[in-house]
Amino acid sequence: MPEMAEKPKTVDAYIAAAPKELHARLRALRTAIRSAAPDAEEKLSYGMPYYGYEGRLAYFAYAKEHIGLYVPPPVVADHAKDLRTYQTAMATVRFPHDKALPIALVKKLIRARKKLNEEKHMKKAKKAK
């Protein structure tokens, strides 16, 4: 992520501090995440927009040539077939600036992580009884 003069304190400020040509893409990504997980908490963590719902859901950040979406494992591996046209790592998907954002795919990834978090939360709740 490029260095900023003053660190943003909100997701709105993070997007505003990004290069102007990325504002619409970042807002679209944010909207997709919030649409897939409307109850998720939104804040900045590690200097990036963060979404939490029953645990970590996702982060995103812009870089010089892409926007990174960071979703805890095993979501990226579980959707490797859908993600084959993107650079990926264990918890990372890179969306290049010169390609349209795959909004439906982003929502699918977020919903998958949300479901895993809910299942994990339910197991913990059952053990606590």
Side-chain angles (χ1 to χ4, degrees), residues 29 33 57-61 66-71 76 91-95 105-107 109-110:
L29 182 58
I33 294 168
L57 194 62
Y59 298 80
F60 70 82
H66 67 270
I67 293 174
L69 177 65
Y70 309 100
V71 184
V76 173
T92 304
V93 181
R94 292 180 183 95
F95 300 119
L105 179 55
V106 169
K107 289 179 181 181
L109 297 173
I110 299 303

Side-chain angles (χ1 to χ4, degrees), residues 81-101:
K81 190 174 183 180
D82 294 328
L83 296 167
R84 68 185 175 277
T85 61
Y86 301 98
Q87 284 187 332
T88 61
M90 186 169 59
T92 304
V93 181
R94 292 180 183 95
F95 300 119
H97 294 319
D98 63 350
K99 289 186 179 178
L101 280 174

Side-chain angles (χ1 to χ4, degrees), residues 3 34 48 52 74 93-94 99 101 103 105 113 120 122 126 128:
E3 205 159 313
R34 292 172 88 178
M48 299 179 284
V93 181
R94 292 180 183 95
K99 289 186 179 178
L101 280 174
I103 297 301
L105 179 55
R113 184 68 241 176
K120 187 176 176 181
M122 292 299 262
K126 283 182 181 178

Side-chain angles (χ1 to χ4, degrees), residues 6 9 15 22 48 56 62 87 108 115 119:
E6 186 178 314
K9 303 217 184 328
I15 292 171
L22 298 181
M48 299 179 284
R56 291 181 301 141
Y62 67 90
Q87 284 187 332
K108 183 177 183 180
K115 183 178 178 194
E119 289 169 357

